[in-house]
Amino acid sequence: MSGANFWNTKAIPRLNIPSIMLTDGPHGLRKQGGKADHLGLNKSIPATCFPTAATLANSWDTELIKKVGEYIGNEASNENVNVLLGPGLNIKRNPLCGRNFEYFSEDPYLTGKLSAAMIQGIQKTGVSACPKHFAVNSQETRRMIVDEIVDERALHELYLEGFRYAVEDGKPKTIMTSYNKVNGVYANENTYLLKNVLKDQWGFDGLIVTDWGGNNNRVEGLKAGNQLEMPSTNGMTDQEIVEAVKNNELEEAILDERVESLLRIVFDTHKHTHCTKTISEETQHKMAIEAACKSLVLLKNEGMLPLKDRNQKIAIIGDFADKPRYQGAGSSLIVPTKIDSLLNEIKKSSLNVIGYEKGFKRLGGHSKTLQNKACYLAKQSDIVLLFLGLDEGSEAEGIDRKHMRLSDNQLLLLDKLHEVNGNIVLILAGGSPIEMPFIEKVKAVLHSYLPGQGGGSAIVKVLTGDINPSGKLSESYPISYSDVPSSKIYPGKYLTSEHRESIFIGYRYYDTAKKEILFPFGYGLSYTSYEYKNLIFNGKTASFSIRNTGEYEGEEIVQLYVKPLDRKVFSAEKELKGFVKVPLKPNEEKQIIIPLDKHAFSYYHVDQKKWVEASGEYEILIGASSRDIRLSSKLTKTGDSTVPYENIDVLIYDSCDVHNIKTEDFEKLYGKKMPNSNWDESKILDRNDIVEQSKYGGIFGKCLYALIPFIKNLLSFMKKPITSNNVMFILEMPFRSIARMSGGRMNMEMLDGFIEMVNGHFFKGLFKMIKYKWFIKRGRK
């Protein structure tokens, strides 16, 4: 019921039970051949680095994503990997979440459909996909202990709905629980989530695995539905299971059922993955380029792109042009088989590039010399291709971003370049939205997100017009961070993260509140234009025609939204309920049909504890984005007419005024009093407290707390941003995880001794640690 080591399950030769390997994804294979870790610190074998989920989502292309999943699965199968840990499909509640680059969207429908496609592609190869992190993993800050407080309706409509599509359409064989608590109960031992919802409602019958080190109470997790704990705890938690059965705290029948579920995955995936397949690195790389080409988003274009005049003198400025930012950091960190440098790729084109300048220090700090060289080059050119973005230290697993801005030195460089050359084409890199106060100073903006190892080639193809950009945003871009509905309460206090905005996140908030934004959900430009016409809705499908009215061949992402016109309960103005990506040659016209599924006109009724289709009038909207609606049709539905919240004052939610929700208003919606969010500084620390709380302990604890930020700052000074961020992960780790992630080098008794040292009983705790270390060396429990 737990790992044999960091990545493998236990083999039992006498029963012919093999070991299987679980290893990281989700946008490529991260298989470590040497020292193992969960944060991307130690090297892994080279593998194809595809665009991250945040990038792929901008393609809105289920067939493409299914194909990417298959390519990743083939590499995993070839390396005898049985379970690939991905895709990640948590909802992008807030732009500052440090792991947003690994997730698809702010919208659960788009998230679910894209993740289901990737799951299907991966599992076509015999490898099991493992969607994660179930559920409500909305922040990285204190993610191993934070309690995500979310009302029942938002829980089902936003944070579970994407997983429902992934499970019901993708049919994954494995799913990973999240570290955090959900409404007071750790996700891995949350019976409501794992049994009532995942198993009983959605029919999931596969393997439930913890996130690495994500076990709190092993027996309670087992009862709730978890089968496998990872990584190895060297028998510590296995013994807890044995003792629980002996003491009648755990029914042996439950244990038998969990073992049987685990064995099904072991045997099923083992028979498929121990066969060598021919993998062509070049073929894989071409797929990575194709995926990037279809995912780039053109955000602005004042006639600058594509670059047609081969005689124009072009300056390339920005460190990201030479050293591309193509993926995130943490457990998804891939060692690519190759990387397409934009500078190398652009030399292969017919563009007249007159020079390159770095322009700024990648990791911050002003350099007048770099800035002056860049401005001098810009003066000599007709067009400046400026490459800016978020650096490696800005977004990563285990941390959340502090703000939505580009670094000051990049912003200053852009201002100075604009003074000497007004023809700036900005190419952005990064896995999350940024504020763009400079938008009027540039003539075009192409967002590459994190495009994987083929990003350099893809960018050049789009800039030159070899490829018509077809990506559209899978998330909204607010003008400033203060516009985000959760901006005042994110990432939550010490112990809780309160989702006071309820269902109003992303475009559900901006469009309902009529908030001015920078770029809407579903937005993206093209080198051609499209005409929509003749919408017919028959109650189950929407049919219409679309024609390419421009000169370039292209692909248009058509979006279907449902708008309730007279619902008696608060709701978003409209919600995405269908989409399709349509390839069209110049002047070509196609008839399109989009089917609507069972939840198209439904919402979660908190009194009835189920989804209901509400009576009333609706509008079917067909558009190029959430704010660019081209066609519409009205209909009336006969369904449930009961009104939830009848005895609750939810007027503030009716008005969508969610920026300043008071505690008492949210408690009415949530149905309970809010738990305490603050730490008790006088509390004696125990196994479930986190290392950061050492600052409230004795001298040793205070020194331990001070040492970790010191090491982080030292690593930052040494220009090691990824390692620096990972050091801070230690601060937010529960003490219990120190033992469980040690691979047996520290047992729970030694851990108790260590905690006593932190609490101010240094010598007593040290003696206990030495005593039980002696026991371990002699093989005693």
Side-chain angles (χ1 to χ4, degrees):
M1 308 308 292
S2 65
N5 51 44
F6 206 84
W7 298 117
N8 298 84
T9 63
K10 297 186 183 80
I12 307 179
R14 66 183 176 83
L15 297 176
N16 295 318
I17 297 173
S19 168
I20 63 169
M21 184 174 196
L22 306 86
T23 199
D24 282 322
H27 56 270
L29 178 66
R30 189 178 85 94
K31 179 184 178 182
Q32 292 179 311
K35 289 184 177 181
D37 73 278
H38 188 48
L39 290 173
L41 296 175
N42 296 308
K43 288 284 186 179
S44 54
I45 64 168
T48 311
C49 181
F50 290 93
T52 68
T55 316
L56 286 173
N58 293 331
S59 75
W60 296 59
D61 192 330
T62 54
E63 289 304 312
L64 172 75
I65 292 174
K66 186 184 297 184
K67 197 173 177 183
V68 168
E70 187 176 349
Y71 273 64
I72 296 173
N74 281 331
E75 286 193 48
S77 176
N78 206 48
E79 288 292 339
N80 294 330
V81 170
N82 305 77
V83 179
L84 189 79
L85 304 178
L89 59 144
N90 291 106
I91 292 299
K92 298 183 182 183
R93 176 193 175 205
N94 185 288
L96 299 189
C97 177
R99 213 166 177 180
N100 275 349
F101 66 88
E102 280 190 62
Y103 303 143
F104 288 105
S105 178
E106 68 189 30
D107 181 79
Y109 181 86
L110 182 60
T111 291
K113 291 297 184 180
L114 299 185
S115 60
M118 178 162 278
I119 290 165
Q120 291 168 3
I122 292 169
Q123 295 194 162
K124 186 177 179 181
T125 67
V127 173
S128 171
C130 182
K132 60 184 184 180
H133 310 84
F134 189 70
V136 203
N137 181 188
S138 299
Q139 65 179 57
E140 291 299 285
T141 302
R142 302 184 185 91
R143 61 179 175 162
M144 298 188 83
I145 63 161
V146 72
D147 189 358
E148 300 277 3
I149 308 295
V150 56
D151 72 274
E152 189 175 10
R153 185 164 162 218
L155 175 65
H156 283 270
E157 292 188 15
L158 294 182
Y159 301 103
L160 298 183
E161 184 70 344
F163 280 98
R164 182 184 69 83
Y165 282 111
V167 169
E168 293 183 350
D169 295 352
K171 300 191 180 339
K173 298 174 183 177
T174 312
I175 196 165
M176 180 192 290
T177 52
S178 55
Y179 288 125
N180 52 278
K181 295 177 182 177
V182 180
N183 293 336
V185 182
Y186 279 103
N188 189 62
E189 53 200 61
N190 195 310
T191 301
Y192 178 71
L193 291 179
L194 302 189
K195 184 182 184 301
N196 297 16
V197 175
L198 183 59
K199 184 175 181 180
D200 295 344
Q201 293 181 26
W202 301 345
F204 180 77
D205 63 352
L207 173 69
I208 300 173
V209 61
T210 66
D211 201 341
W212 266 233
N215 169 42
N216 171 55
N217 184 308
R218 185 66 189 102
V219 175
E220 292 304 312
L222 203 70
K223 289 178 182 178
N226 172 274
Q227 292 98 357
L228 179 63
E229 177 185 8
M230 291 297 288
S232 169
T233 62
N234 202 35
M236 278 189 293
T237 54
D238 297 337
Q239 190 62 33
E240 292 174 11
I241 297 172
V242 172
E243 294 300 324
V245 172
K246 286 181 178 179
N247 297 332
N248 296 318
E249 296 173 8
L250 175 67
E251 293 179 32
E252 193 167 338
I254 293 177
L255 179 59
D256 290 342
E257 185 180 321
R258 302 296 181 261
V259 170
E260 185 179 351
S261 297
L262 174 58
L263 290 179
R264 278 203 306 269
I265 299 300
V266 168
F267 288 118
D268 183 45
T269 60
H270 186 265
K271 67 185 178 185
H272 288 293
T273 53
H274 284 65
C275 51
T276 304
K277 300 178 181 180
T278 302
I279 302 292
S280 164
E281 284 190 6
E282 191 55 37
T283 301
Q284 297 284 115
H285 185 66
K286 287 179 180 178
M287 186 65 228
I289 295 174
E290 179 185 344
C293 285
K294 290 177 177 289
S295 303
L296 304 189
V297 186
L298 184 62
L299 295 176
K300 181 178 180 179
N301 188 19
E302 294 182 357
M304 297 294 291
L305 298 177
L307 300 172
K308 297 177 182 177
D309 187 350
R310 306 306 186 191
N311 295 317
Q312 288 179 316
K313 293 181 288 185
I314 295 175
I316 299 177
I317 296 173
D319 191 41
F320 294 100
D322 183 34
K323 299 174 182 175
R325 174 94 199 288
Y326 58 94
Q327 65 172 326
S331 61
S332 66
L333 190 70
I334 309 298
V335 175
T337 54
K338 63 185 292 187
I339 303 174
D340 286 349
S341 163
L342 181 126
L343 286 180
N344 291 335
E345 295 303 315
I346 210 163
K347 288 175 184 176
K348 300 175 186 177
S349 73
S350 58
L351 295 179
N352 180 22
V353 177
I354 63 171
Y356 161 74
E357 287 294 342
K358 184 176 179 179
F360 60 89
K361 292 182 178 180
R362 190 182 189 95
L363 300 178
H366 292 290
S367 170
K368 196 73 173 177
T369 300
L370 293 177
Q371 182 180 294
N372 288 341
K373 286 182 177 180
C375 289
Y376 179 78
L377 179 63
K379 283 181 183 179
Q380 319 306 315
S381 68
D382 298 312
I383 295 175
V384 173
L385 298 183
L386 178 60
F387 290 78
L388 304 179
L390 300 173
D391 63 51
E392 287 77 1
S394 297
E395 45 185 353
E397 179 180 358
I399 63 163
D400 290 314
R401 293 163 65 194
K402 303 300 183 187
H403 54 75
M404 269 182 63
R405 302 184 301 275
L406 289 179
S407 61
D408 291 342
N409 60 354
Q410 293 185 44
L411 295 175
L412 180 60
L413 173 65
L414 192 154
D415 286 342
K416 295 298 182 183
L417 291 173
H418 181 258
E419 291 175 4
V420 299
N421 192 325
N423 293 325
I424 298 175
V425 175
L426 177 63
I427 298 93
L428 289 170
S432 303
I434 59 169
E435 295 174 355
M436 300 187 196
F438 48 77
I439 192 70
E440 299 302 325
K441 296 179 180 178
V442 297
K443 294 288 183 66
V445 180
L446 178 67
H447 205 324
S448 70
Y449 268 70
L450 298 176
Q453 66 183 53
S457 292
I459 291 169
V460 172
K461 288 177 183 291
V462 169
L463 290 175
T464 58
D466 291 344
I467 295 290
N468 186 354
S470 62
K472 293 194 177 187
L473 294 175
S474 64
E475 56 192 328
S476 308
Y477 273 54
I479 294 174
S480 67
Y481 180 63
S482 61
D483 295 330
V484 176
S486 57
S487 59
K488 293 183 179 180
I489 52 175
Y490 189 89
K493 296 181 181 178
Y494 296 111
L495 297 175
T496 65
S497 178
E498 298 171 3
H499 294 231
R500 297 190 178 201
E501 72 281 3
S502 186
I503 63 170
F504 294 110
I505 69 167
Y507 76 91
R508 281 168 165 78
Y509 166 71
Y510 300 119
D511 290 0
T512 307
K514 305 294 188 285
K515 190 78 175 177
E516 186 180 356
I517 52 175
L518 185 63
F519 299 114
F521 175 79
Y523 172 87
L525 300 177
S526 170
Y527 294 154
T528 189
S529 55
Y530 302 96
E531 178 187 31
Y532 296 60
K533 58 185 179 181
N534 302 329
L535 171 63
I536 299 174
F537 183 71
N538 65 7
K540 293 184 178 180
T541 62
S543 63
F544 54 95
S545 60
I546 182 170
R547 185 167 70 93
N548 183 342
T549 56
E551 299 177 357
Y552 284 84
E553 182 175 347
E555 293 181 283
E556 172 69 333
I557 297 166
V558 181
Q559 300 149 50
L560 185 154
Y561 297 87
V562 172
K563 178 179 181 178
L565 296 177
D566 57 359
R567 185 176 286 176
K568 298 175 179 63
V569 60
F570 68 83
S571 62
E573 182 195 54
K574 56 181 170 292
E575 295 179 1
L576 181 74
K577 297 298 180 182
F579 63 90
V580 62
K581 193 166 190 175
V582 186
L584 290 164
K585 295 177 181 178
N587 207 39
E588 183 181 10
E589 182 173 315
K590 287 183 179 179
Q591 188 71 19
I592 306 301
I593 298 177
I594 300 179
L596 274 72
D597 68 15
K598 64 182 181 181
H599 282 182
F601 301 97
S602 300
Y603 72 101
Y604 188 83
H605 198 299
V606 294
D607 294 339
Q608 299 184 37
K609 308 296 182 187
K610 65 178 183 180
W611 287 80
V612 301
E613 189 171 277
S615 291
E617 193 174 12
Y618 293 84
E619 204 170 3
I620 302 299
L621 307 174
I622 304 294
S625 79
S626 75
R627 294 201 174 182
D628 184 5
I629 302 302
R630 308 289 182 87
L631 304 170
S632 66
S633 176
K634 291 182 180 180
L635 74 151
T636 301
K637 298 289 290 185
T638 301
D640 191 286
S641 58
T642 62
V643 181
Y645 312 117
E646 273 191 300
N647 300 316
I648 304 173
D649 178 10
V650 290
L651 185 62
I652 194 166
Y653 288 97
D654 286 332
S655 63
C656 196
D657 182 18
V658 296
H659 260 101
N660 299 291
I661 299 288
K662 296 177 181 178
T663 299
E664 53 267 31
D665 288 322
F666 183 54
E667 285 178 339
K668 291 175 186 176
L669 189 69
Y670 180 55
K672 300 180 196 173
K673 288 287 185 183
M674 288 298 99
N676 182 27
S677 296
N678 297 312
W679 283 325
D680 179 359
E681 298 181 16
S682 63
K683 178 182 182 292
I684 302 299
L685 302 181
D686 58 35
R687 295 175 180 180
N688 285 330
D689 291 310
I690 65 173
V691 175
E692 185 180 355
Q693 292 172 267
S694 298
K695 61 185 176 183
Y696 303 130
I699 295 176
F700 174 75
K702 287 179 169 58
C703 291
L704 175 66
Y705 171 75
L707 178 63
I708 295 170
F710 172 79
I711 295 173
K712 178 195 185 313
N713 293 334
L714 180 63
L715 290 168
S716 295
F717 177 77
M718 296 168 63
K719 306 298 183 185
K720 296 182 181 292
I722 295 177
T723 310
S724 172
N725 286 334
N726 286 339
V727 168
M728 292 305 289
F729 173 74
I730 298 171
L731 271 185
E732 299 186 356
M733 181 183 288
F735 287 106
R736 57 177 154 79
S737 294
I738 297 174
R740 289 172 179 169
M741 295 285 278
S742 73
R745 287 183 289 274
M746 176 185 283
N747 62 20
M748 300 307 282
E749 288 80 8
M750 289 178 63
L751 175 67
D752 289 338
F754 180 77
I755 295 172
E756 284 201 47
M757 294 168 65
V758 170
N759 278 320
H761 307 289
F762 182 83
F763 293 105
K764 181 181 177 182
L766 181 62
F767 175 77
K768 184 180 285 189
M769 286 193 70
I770 295 171
K771 172 184 173 182
Y772 284 103
K773 183 67 176 177
W774 183 84
F775 283 171
I776 287 178
K777 285 185 177 180
R778 281 152 183 77
R780 297 175 61 178
K781 295 281 188 244

